[in-house]
Amino acid sequence: MTTNPTSLIVTFGEMLIDFVPDVAGVSLAESGGFIKAPGGAPANVACAISKLGGKSAFIGKVGDDEFGHMLVDILKKNGVNSEGVCYDPHARTALAFVTLKKNGEREFMFYRNPSADMLLKESELNMGLLKQAKVFHYGSISLISEPCRSAHLTAMKAAREAGILLSYDPNVRLPLWPSSDSARDGIKSIWKDADFIKVSDDEVAFLTQGDPEKEDVVLSLWHDRLKLLVVTDGEKGCRYFAKGFKGRVPGFSVKAVDTTGAGDAFVGSFLLSVAKDTSIFDKEEKLREALAFANACGAICTTQKGAIPALPSTSDALALVKSKAN
C-alpha cells in the first residue's frame, strides 16, 4: 500500500526493553524467567503504524549499548524511520520489568536512573524529520524530567507552528513520577495543546478523580482546541467525543494473554486513519469505522506476549471486524 509523502506520523518519547515473565500470573519475585520484549509506548505506536502499511518515524534516545542498538534494529526491521534516534554514550537504555497477572493486566518496575531516553536534549531533535509529519504523537513520560521535558515542549511547539496535528496519549505510569499529584499536574500541563487525546477509563478516573463511566466526568477533560477525545474501555471498546457528535463503539472478545501494547496498537491504527483522511473528525460514520478497526487492532495485540511482536497486520484486523459483522 502506498501512502503519500505528507502522511508521515512522527512519534516522540521513550523506547525501552520490557522484561515479561515467561509464566503469567506470577509476581516478579516468583518468576523463574523473563522474555525480553521491545517496548515504550511511542515506539510501539510507530511500529503499529508501519505494520499496518503506514509511514512512521520515531524520535527519541537510547543508550549506546547492546539493548539500544537492538531497539534501533527492531525499528528498522519494522519499517520505522529511525533517523530521529540518538545514542547516549554514558546512560543506559531503560528497562522495565512487567508482571502479568492472571487476567493479562500489568504491573511495572522500572530501571531508569537516569536512562538515555530521559537525556534527549533540544539540540538533538531532528527538526527536519519532525516538520515532514502530518501527525505528531507523544505521551507524558517524556515530561517527567529535564532535559527531555524541554525537548518535548520544543518539538510540540515546532509541530504546532508547522500546522501538524498533535496527538496525545498520556500513558500514565505512576511509579515513574515523584507523586500522584505531580503526575496529574505534569500530564495536564500540556493537555490543552492537543488536537486528539486518547485516554483509558482508568486514566480518566486518575486524572479527574471521578467515575469514568459518567459522561460529565469525561467531558471535564474536553477543551476547545480538541477535535476528538477517545476513552478506551478495554474489551468493552471505546467512547468518542467530537465537536458535533459522541458515541460508543463496541470492542471484540478475545482470549487476552498480555494487554501490553494494546492501547498503542489502537492509537497507531487510528492515527493511520487520521493521516489518510483528517475529515474523519467531522464525519461520524467514517470515525466509527476507523475506531472499530482500531478496537480490532487493540484486541489482537492482547492475544500474544509483548507489544511489538503482537502488533496486528491489516488483514488480521479486517478479518476480526468482518467476523463480528457476520
Side-chain angles (χ1 to χ4, degrees):
M1 191 196 96
T2 56
T3 51
N4 64 46
T6 54
S7 60
L8 174 69
I9 300 159
V10 173
T11 72
F12 173 90
E14 69 285 354
M15 188 173 195
L16 53 131
I17 306 277
D18 287 335
F19 285 96
V20 186
D22 53 6
V23 179
V26 297
S27 70
L28 290 177
E30 291 162 345
S31 181
F34 294 89
I35 296 161
K36 184 179 69 182
N44 294 344
V45 169
C47 290
I49 290 159
S50 186
K51 197 158 178 188
L52 291 167
K55 196 174 166 196
S56 66
F58 172 72
I59 292 177
K61 199 175 199 183
V62 293
D64 189 3
D65 51 35
E66 286 273 329
F67 286 155
H69 288 277
M70 178 195 116
L71 289 174
V72 173
D73 282 345
I74 285 164
L75 287 176
K76 288 176 179 166
K77 280 194 185 104
N78 282 276
V80 176
N81 178 321
S82 61
E83 289 165 27
V85 181
C86 312
Y87 293 95
D88 193 294
H90 308 296
R92 291 281 188 224
T93 301
L95 309 179
F97 286 83
V98 187
T99 50
L100 298 178
K101 295 183 223 164
K102 286 271 191 283
N103 62 356
E105 284 299 333
R106 307 149 298 165
E107 280 170 1
F108 294 90
M109 184 165 91
F110 293 93
Y111 283 69
R112 298 167 90 233
N113 55 336
S115 53
D117 58 288
M118 300 157 75
L119 301 174
L120 180 72
K121 300 193 285 277
E122 279 180 66
S123 59
E124 294 171 317
L125 288 170
N126 186 330
M127 286 299 196
L129 178 62
L130 172 63
K131 285 176 181 169
Q132 291 169 41
K134 189 163 188 178
V135 179
F136 181 56
H137 175 75
Y138 45 85
S140 68
I141 291 171
S142 41
L143 295 171
I144 297 172
S145 51
E146 292 292 0
C148 189
R149 179 181 164 82
S150 291
H152 181 143
L153 297 176
T154 299
M156 268 175 54
K157 186 170 181 280
R160 164 70 64 210
E161 284 168 1
I164 296 162
L165 189 108
L166 299 188
S167 163
Y168 186 24
D169 176 357
N171 243 307
V172 177
R173 295 286 178 268
L174 274 184
L176 294 179
W177 293 86
S179 68
S180 292
D181 285 343
S182 68
R184 234 175 255 114
D185 293 346
I187 287 163
K188 286 182 168 173
S189 69
I190 59 166
W191 199 259
K192 289 189 161 67
D193 294 292
D195 297 297
F196 164 64
I197 294 175
K198 173 254 160 189
V199 272
S200 69
D201 47 357
D202 292 346
E203 288 166 342
V204 171
F206 171 71
L207 291 168
T208 63
Q209 297 171 282
D211 178 353
E213 282 302 311
K214 291 187 173 155
E215 196 170 296
D216 59 332
V217 171
V218 175
L219 286 174
S220 70
L221 295 172
W222 180 265
H223 63 79
D224 286 344
R225 184 175 250 161
L226 262 184
K227 291 179 165 63
L228 182 71
L229 173 66
V230 169
V231 180
T232 53
D233 293 309
E235 62 194 24
K236 289 187 297 195
C238 66
R239 286 169 280 164
Y240 59 89
F241 302 86
K243 285 202 166 101
F245 46 79
K246 61 187 182 201
R248 189 186 282 269
V249 180
F252 297 87
S253 220
V254 293
K255 191 180 178 333
V257 175
D258 174 11
T259 57
T260 311
D264 305 325
F266 176 96
V267 170
S269 162
F270 183 69
L271 291 182
L272 181 54
S273 297
V274 170
K276 285 180 187 167
D277 183 4
T278 50
S279 77
I280 201 167
F281 294 122
D282 311 309
K283 294 180 178 164
E284 190 169 12
E285 200 178 323
K286 265 188 190 172
L287 178 69
R288 289 184 64 87
E289 215 172 282
L291 290 172
F293 185 72
N295 281 344
C297 289
I300 290 167
C301 194
T302 67
T303 60
Q304 203 182 320
K305 280 194 183 123
I308 293 171
L311 293 169
S313 65
T314 304
S315 55
D316 290 344
L318 285 173
L320 184 57
V321 172
K322 209 171 170 187
S323 72
K324 186 154 183 177
N326 292 339

